[in-house]
Amino acid sequence: MTDQQTPPSPAEQQKMLEEAKQKFDAAKSQMDRSAGKARDAWNAKIQTLRKEVEEASVILADASAKRDESEAIKDTPAGLEVNARASLVAEIYLQLGRMKEREIAVYQECVTIIDNLGPLDVEPPPAVPRFPSVADDLAYLEARARFHTITLTYHWLRNRLGLEVILRATGNEPAVTGNEVWETEVTQRAETLRNAMQGDKDFMILAGKLGSELNESRALLEWGRGSLRTLGQLPEGPRRKALDDTDWAKVNGALQVVLDAPERSKTFPALEKSFDLG
């Protein structure tokens, strides 16, 4: 014989319903608070990004003006250098501005989704919204790839003498060749650096490691620049696939190697001298 449960009395049923409603109201209140916090965080980020876009626009305008002014003197070494650097800085801040504008657009869409959430106490319950992510935004990903590659190009240009000396002194292939004056300077400095390495094992290890990392960074720079030349011609699907390549993250790592090279060279005076005319 099985036990039969006694059904709850009307008073007990009422109490159960009230408790369930209290739990639902608490959960809804928590969700409302969470949504409010998310909205406030996104709006705050949007305001910060708008200021950063304005700052990038100012630097872009200044670099563009310097680039245009230097067009008339590009036939001189000094003028060519100014024009090349200004052109790269202008492109860097153009892409940086595009990245931030895409972030703004994505966060604004998230705020709109929050604002348009319907009532929760309906049947069936509303579907959980899917918020967009900057990491999935194709325009952002392309701008980021261009930003990192062009920034790496700029800093390689800016420090090319020191980087070239280290590459050659550590047995790597030259990255930059120049006129007779350039080649003489680089060759002499590389020879001096090689001689210093012979008498100091720690120095040889440090310089060799840095040379190897710079050689890899040079290869990544060449890959990135080559990829960018065709990236804009690809349809959306192949372009997204191309931007999924893990080597784009390595380009960013290569940028850090080049940025850190002058500071790392300060450990040994013979290496630091490679960058005194960079």
Side-chain angles (χ1 to χ4, degrees):
M1 182 174 180
T2 59
D3 294 333
Q4 292 186 351
Q5 293 184 343
T6 303
S9 66
E12 290 174 328
Q13 291 182 28
Q14 182 63 33
K15 183 180 179 181
M16 292 168 62
L17 288 173
E18 289 175 356
E19 289 176 349
K21 184 177 185 306
Q22 288 174 358
K23 290 180 180 179
F24 176 82
D25 289 342
K28 182 177 182 300
S29 178
Q30 177 61 40
M31 181 172 285
D32 288 342
R33 286 195 298 272
S34 297
K37 288 181 180 179
R39 182 193 297 107
D40 292 344
W42 279 321
N43 280 328
K45 182 65 174 176
I46 288 170
Q47 293 305 313
T48 298
L49 285 166
R50 283 174 175 161
K51 291 178 182 178
E52 292 174 352
V53 168
E54 292 176 3
E55 293 168 357
S57 298
V58 171
I59 299 174
L60 170 59
D62 181 63
S64 298
K66 288 181 180 178
R67 177 198 60 205
D68 295 343
E69 290 169 3
S70 63
E71 285 290 332
I73 56 172
K74 280 173 58 177
D75 57 342
T76 66
L80 182 61
E81 180 78 12
V82 171
N83 185 267
R85 291 198 186 193
S87 297
L88 288 169
V89 171
E91 187 64 22
I92 287 168
Y93 281 91
L94 174 65
Q95 299 303 330
L96 183 61
R98 286 177 176 172
M99 288 169 62
K100 294 182 181 299
E101 286 169 353
R102 289 311 307 159
E103 284 190 85
I104 290 172
V106 168
Y107 296 144
Q108 283 179 329
E109 187 175 348
C110 291
V111 171
T112 299
I113 291 173
I114 288 287
D115 289 340
N116 291 337
L117 281 176
L120 301 176
D121 51 347
V122 296
E123 289 294 340
V128 177
R130 181 184 181 278
F131 293 99
S133 169
V134 172
D136 296 326
D137 188 89
L138 183 59
Y140 173 85
L141 295 175
E142 181 173 350
R144 185 178 65 180
R146 293 184 182 280
F147 171 77
H148 286 153
T149 305
I150 297 163
T151 304
L152 176 55
T153 302
Y154 171 80
H155 285 287
W156 196 289
L157 172 68
R158 184 168 176 265
N159 294 293
R160 64 188 180 279
L161 177 62
L163 301 177
E164 189 66 26
V165 169
I166 294 171
L167 282 172
R168 297 192 188 191
T170 54
N172 293 289
E173 291 295 321
V176 180
T177 56
N179 57 29
E180 184 177 349
V181 174
W182 161 270
E183 289 297 326
T184 299
E185 180 71 21
V186 171
T187 300
Q188 290 176 348
R189 285 173 176 252
E191 183 64 26
T192 300
L193 188 55
R194 274 194 296 270
N195 291 336
M197 290 165 58
Q198 295 303 317
D200 191 327
K201 182 178 179 181
D202 291 338
F203 181 31
M204 181 181 295
I205 293 173
L206 174 77
K209 184 174 187 299
L210 182 55
S212 177
E213 291 176 5
L214 289 174
N215 193 47
E216 182 179 356
S217 297
R218 180 261 302 276
L220 286 164
L221 174 58
E222 293 174 353
W223 174 84
R225 293 176 68 178
S227 298
L228 290 183
R229 281 193 287 270
T230 58
L231 187 64
Q233 304 168 13
L234 298 176
E236 181 177 336
R239 191 186 321 169
R240 184 177 292 279
K241 183 177 180 181
L243 288 167
D244 282 340
D245 195 310
T246 56
D247 277 350
W248 290 114
K250 294 179 182 178
V251 169
N252 188 31
L255 170 59
Q256 198 59 52
V257 169
V258 172
L259 288 173
D260 291 344
E263 186 65 27
R264 290 170 65 184
S265 74
K266 292 181 180 179
T267 307
F268 295 93
L271 187 57
E272 184 178 14
K273 290 178 181 177
S274 300
F275 290 95
D276 59 10
L277 294 178

